[in-house]
Amino acid sequence: MTTAATPSPSRSLSDLVADGVVLVDGGMGTLLQDMGLDDGGSGELWNLDRPDAVRDAHRAYAEAGARVLTTNTFGGTRPRLEMHGLADRVHEVNEAGARLARKEADRVGALVAGDLGPTGELMAPLGTLEPADVQELFAAQLRGLVAGGIDLVLIETMSDAAEAEAALAAAREVAPELPVVVTFSFDTNLHTMMGLHPAEAVRRLAAAGADAVGANCGRGPEEMTKIAAAMVAARPDGLLLVAQSNAGLPQVVGDHFEYDATPAEMAAHAVALRDAGIDLVGACCGSTPAHLAAMSDALR
């Protein structure tokens, strides 16, 4: 039986945006790797096996100034969890992830974004999955996230507009009262791997009913600035825009990778995004609470 969700904070996403640019948190996967997650391991399993570490990550971002905390559920659909023998634990993993973020968000009055990443499966005609199949995969994940007490839905790192639309339809089915944010990764010559341009993404997902559209991941702040400009130019009235760049590009340092954008560089980037008209600013792979703290200070 599904347990009742923890009450959400009284403030909403629209309340936060009304006060100015909203700082979203940074990368989770690379942060967990720094904490010992094996390359190729399931970070989502840590919601069950190492919840204190996941809460520590959320707490660090909250204390750095993030006012939207993203659940540790990027790979929380059945196909992604199936790769780790967790196909029968979709609801459990996602509910736990939402509850961990909820506890830390409530300490500072932040919101919790339920994170949906790509399924890893191709949709027809390139693959075998139909939109209804993909919608149900995301709906199953969302039922766990909603039970854990999320405030909004974040559909992120998308390449295929059709998959993003299926996730959006799942959100409207399972949690019609929650705002939905959709972001794409424009890492292939300022397009997604499926050839989608930022302006087209903004127009298409706005028409589908998303509350906010934007970009995450990618090739660093310089390219994200160009992507943001294209999104701002295409924005219809009433749509919020989001940008969460990687902390530069990964560089080999000894026996591991480090991303090459410093906290100061990400702080300057955050200010540039705000001044360009972006409503929600955060970071992605390679970012740390130190990057977020610098961004928070710069945006005050």
Side-chain angles (χ1 to χ4, degrees), residues 122-124 127-135 166:
L122 291 175
M123 296 181 64
T128 59
L129 291 182
E130 297 295 335
D133 302 323
V134 178
Q135 181 175 334

Side-chain angles (χ1 to χ4, degrees), residues 19-288:
D19 290 341
V21 66
V22 176
L23 187 64
V24 186
D25 60 7
M28 177 61 76
T30 49
L31 193 57
L32 294 186
Q33 288 173 357
D34 289 342
M35 294 180 178
L37 176 65
D38 292 336
D39 186 25
S42 172
E44 292 75 21
L45 183 58
W46 279 32
N47 295 337
L48 306 176
D49 289 356
R50 294 192 59 184
D52 289 345
V54 176
R55 282 190 64 179
D56 286 347
H58 289 311
R59 183 180 299 117
Y61 278 131
E63 292 177 351
R67 287 301 169 261
V68 177
L69 301 183
T70 307
T71 60
N72 178 39
T73 56
F74 178 81
T77 52
R78 181 180 56 75
R80 298 288 292 267
L81 291 176
E82 193 169 32
M83 296 168 58
H84 305 283
L86 301 170
D88 61 343
R89 305 182 76 178
V90 172
H91 194 285
E92 181 185 9
V93 164
N94 285 280
E95 181 175 356
R99 290 191 181 280
L100 291 170
R102 175 85 273 147
K103 289 177 181 178
E104 295 309 316
D106 286 345
R107 293 177 186 271
V108 297
L111 302 180
V112 175
D115 191 16
L116 280 61
T119 64
E121 303 290 323
L122 291 175
M123 296 181 64
L126 298 177
T128 59
L129 291 182
E130 297 295 335
D133 302 323
V134 178
Q135 181 175 334
E136 178 50 37
L137 290 174
F138 285 120
Q141 181 182 11
L142 276 163
R143 292 181 193 110
L145 291 169
V146 169
I150 62 172
D151 302 299
L152 62 136
V153 178
L154 173 61
I155 301 162
E156 67 161 323
T157 325
M158 289 287 161
S159 293
D160 185 349
E163 183 176 25
E165 288 167 341
L168 176 57
R172 296 307 186 207
E173 169 198 344
V174 175
E177 75 285 0
L178 296 184
V180 181
V181 178
V182 184
T183 64
F184 293 84
S185 179
F186 301 100
D187 56 3
T188 308
N189 194 25
L190 302 182
H191 290 69
T192 72
M193 285 192 302
M194 302 297 285
L196 191 68
H197 184 270
E200 183 184 358
V202 164
R203 289 190 289 265
R204 182 163 172 176
L205 270 298
D211 298 280
V213 180
N216 76 297
C217 210
R219 297 178 54 81
E222 184 177 350
E223 282 201 2
M224 184 61 76
T225 301
K226 298 175 183 177
I227 291 164
M231 294 191 301
V232 168
R235 179 202 334 234
D237 290 343
L239 184 74
L240 300 176
L241 293 180
V242 190
Q244 293 183 264
S245 173
N246 284 351
L249 293 171
Q251 308 292 330
V252 177
V253 179
D255 61 353
H256 66 287
F257 286 102
E258 292 183 6
Y259 284 70
D260 60 8
T262 67
E265 289 169 337
M266 290 297 285
H269 175 59
V271 171
L273 290 175
R274 178 196 63 192
D275 293 348
I278 300 299
D279 304 290
L280 292 93
V281 173
C284 202
C285 301
S287 60
T288 66

